Amino acid sequence: MSNWKRIFETAFRDFEGVDELEMEFSFYAPASIVDIRGIEDSKGVKLTEELKGIFLEFNGISVKEKYWGRKNLYLPISEVIEDVEDYIKNSGNPTPPETELNSVVFFAQQNGYAVLYGMCCQPFGEFKVGQVLALDHETGEFEVESENLEEFVGNSWHCGLS
């Protein structure tokens, strides 16, 4: 088992004990180098080594909860490129400037994209490469969620969908 899976599984076990949602998760198959290049070309940035490592270890995580069914917690690259970008453009919610959006590669979500989590891959404003940022759909603003990917993946709070 690889490092990112182990970190997530440990956090997930901590989260499972908090709630009685009868949650279960499954990792998607790893992304390919072609998939990685596709998202980098789409966004016009290079992925950080950490985010690339996650995608090469698993290309998303699906979580099933008792009341909400199965949804993607960590997003596959295809969903990031197609669905997330479409949601941001067409949701009617406030959005940050395109230069900021193109500096962040989203990889996780909560509550139907109400909160999108992304890796800062190009610095902007006060944000540094390697920080995990949250984009709130109500404000259209980024804020630092975690200083690095390992901290984010290892935090059990991020294991829930709602």
Side-chain angles (χ1 to χ4, degrees):
M1 183 178 346
S2 301
N3 189 42
W4 293 111
K5 284 182 179 180
R6 181 183 52 74
I7 294 168
F8 177 82
E9 288 174 331
T10 300
F12 190 85
R13 278 194 300 275
D14 291 344
F15 185 78
E16 268 184 320
V18 172
D19 215 316
E20 295 183 7
L21 295 176
E22 300 173 18
M23 295 174 59
E24 54 188 60
F25 69 90
S26 58
F27 295 103
Y28 288 115
S32 69
I33 294 298
V34 172
D35 295 328
I36 299 292
R37 284 191 201 117
I39 196 165
E40 287 178 334
D41 291 345
S42 170
K43 298 293 286 183
V45 296
K46 290 286 184 195
L47 297 183
T48 64
E49 289 303 312
E50 294 83 8
L51 188 55
K52 192 182 298 183
I54 276 196
F55 282 131
L56 290 172
E57 192 171 325
F58 54 85
N59 189 14
I61 300 173
S62 174
V63 175
K64 180 181 177 192
E65 293 180 323
K66 182 177 181 179
Y67 301 106
W68 297 291
R70 185 166 291 282
K71 295 182 183 174
N72 289 330
L73 177 61
Y74 281 47
L75 307 170
I77 288 174
S78 60
E79 185 173 346
V80 173
I81 293 173
E82 298 164 16
D83 300 337
V84 173
E85 298 295 326
D86 183 59
Y87 168 80
I88 290 170
K89 290 177 185 170
N90 298 311
S91 68
N93 296 331
T95 59
E98 193 167 329
T99 56
E100 292 180 9
L101 281 173
N102 287 335
S103 298
V104 176
V105 175
F106 297 106
F107 66 90
Q109 68 88 31
Q110 282 187 328
N111 199 20
Y113 301 155
V115 181
L116 286 163
Y117 300 104
M119 173 66 69
C120 183
C121 293
Q122 186 171 291
F124 66 96
E126 64 196 61
F127 305 114
K128 300 179 283 194
V129 171
Q131 291 178 316
V132 176
L133 307 181
L135 175 62
D136 189 292
H137 75 285
E138 291 180 4
T139 64
E141 295 179 1
F142 286 107
E143 62 182 46
V144 175
E145 186 67 26
S146 297
E147 286 300 321
N148 58 61
L149 194 54
E150 185 171 350
E151 180 182 294
F152 179 87
V153 175
N155 186 334
S156 63
W157 182 83
H158 300 111
C159 292
L161 291 168
S162 59

